[in-house]
Amino acid sequence: KQEVTQIPAALSVPEGENLVLNCSFTDSAIYNLQWFRQDPGKGLTSLLLIQSSQREQTSGRLNASLDKSSGRSTLYIAASQPGDSATYLCAVRNTPLVFGKGTRLSVIA
Amino acid sequence: DVKVTQSSRYLVKRTGEKVFLECVQDMDHENMFWYRQDPGLGLRLIYFSYDVKMKEKGDIPEGYSVSREKKERFSLILESASTNQTSMYLCASSAGNGGTYEQYFGPGTRLTVT
């Protein structure tokens, strides 16, 4: 059964730092991997989707990479801002999506 | 822009009541999903549907049922609400075959059962 792990569970950084969030999964036979952002008490907002044939995707200050063979993905956030404070979840699609428990990020001004 | 809406942001119900949570998407997506989210447990899939009138059990279907009579609408039903069903409920949709399967979520319904 697919398991998705996100480390660390929580992270606090000063504004302006570049940071990396990690996601690992146990079964490499995935169709795609999706990164989400969740603000407290709200739904999930899709940030990036990487298909299994792709190595990375970029959107603004965000860059997500995928290494299927090692079962890893990273979300890189450049020049972090207080508005980036949220919980970030990754999810892999076998069928259907399997979610990690998220990394709670705090960016301190 | 994909839009997934849920009928209520907050709901308070009594134990034993029948509860309906409604979800509507406006992008003609084939796939629709219901999750619940609890602290420390993450998102868990309750039910999903790949087509009208079709449903599949997820990881925690006990105590729940679903209905999909129209493509755009997916309803979650708690037949007899219990306090352990107090949770955040999230609906999602995605395109099916030929699409990217990127999932889009609604704003969530915070259900409290007293």
Side-chain angles (χ1 to χ4, degrees):
Chain A
K1 185 181 175 185
Q2 178 76 269
E3 291 183 6
V4 179
T5 303
Q6 291 187 248
I7 293 173
L11 181 64
S12 183
V13 301
E15 181 177 6
E17 267 203 16
N18 302 324
L19 59 100
V20 174
L21 307 181
N22 296 295
C23 173
S24 61
F25 46 95
T26 54
D27 182 353
S28 62
I30 63 170
Y31 293 99
N32 60 42
L33 183 144
Q34 198 168 352
W35 281 94
F36 296 88
R37 170 188 172 132
Q38 186 176 32
D39 294 292
K42 302 287 180 64
L44 279 66
T45 300
S46 179
L47 297 173
L48 290 163
L49 172 74
I50 311 177
Q51 299 294 351
S52 62
S53 58
Q54 297 174 321
R55 296 283 297 190
E56 64 179 308
Q57 283 286 333
T58 297
S59 175
R61 294 183 293 110
L62 305 179
N63 175 276
S65 68
L66 174 64
D67 184 342
K68 262 183 48 174
S69 61
S70 66
R72 293 176 190 271
S73 175
T74 60
L75 179 67
Y76 174 82
I77 302 177
S80 58
Q81 303 170 357
D84 295 330
S85 298
T87 297
Y88 291 81
L89 297 106
C90 76
V92 298
R93 180 174 167 261
N94 298 113
T95 300
L97 283 185
V98 179
F99 284 83
K101 292 185 179 177
T103 294
R104 189 171 67 253
L105 173 66
S106 296
V107 180
I108 311 301
Chain B
D1 254 7
V2 176
K3 193 158 188 183
V4 180
T5 57
Q6 295 183 228
S7 51
S8 305
R9 290 300 311 277
Y10 301 94
L11 210 51
V12 180
K13 295 292 182 180
R14 294 196 179 275
T15 302
E17 277 193 78
K18 191 168 185 176
V19 181
F20 293 86
L21 302 182
E22 303 285 337
C23 176
V24 177
Q25 50 92 5
D26 67 357
M27 281 302 292
D28 202 35
H29 282 170
E30 289 82 4
N31 307 325
M32 297 188 75
F33 308 83
W34 275 106
Y35 298 87
R36 66 176 282 178
Q37 186 177 31
D38 301 286
L41 297 177
L43 272 90
R44 293 179 291 168
L45 182 64
I46 305 171
Y47 267 97
F48 59 102
S49 170
Y50 287 145
D51 202 351
V52 175
K53 295 191 185 295
M54 175 272 180
K55 61 186 177 185
E56 293 283 346
K57 292 180 180 179
D59 298 322
I60 51 163
E62 297 78 18
Y64 303 94
S65 63
V66 290
S67 173
R68 194 167 181 200
E69 295 296 319
K70 294 185 177 181
K71 191 175 185 181
E72 67 271 19
R73 188 180 298 269
F74 193 34
S75 302
L76 180 69
I77 304 156
L78 287 65
E79 295 290 342
S80 178
S82 64
T83 55
N84 64 13
Q85 293 178 310
T86 291
S87 186
M88 171 71 110
Y89 289 87
L90 292 162
C91 175
S93 72
S94 71
N97 290 333
T100 65
Y101 293 93
E102 183 172 3
Q103 278 203 10
Y104 297 89
F105 280 78
T109 295
R110 172 76 63 185
L111 173 66
T112 302
V113 182
T114 61

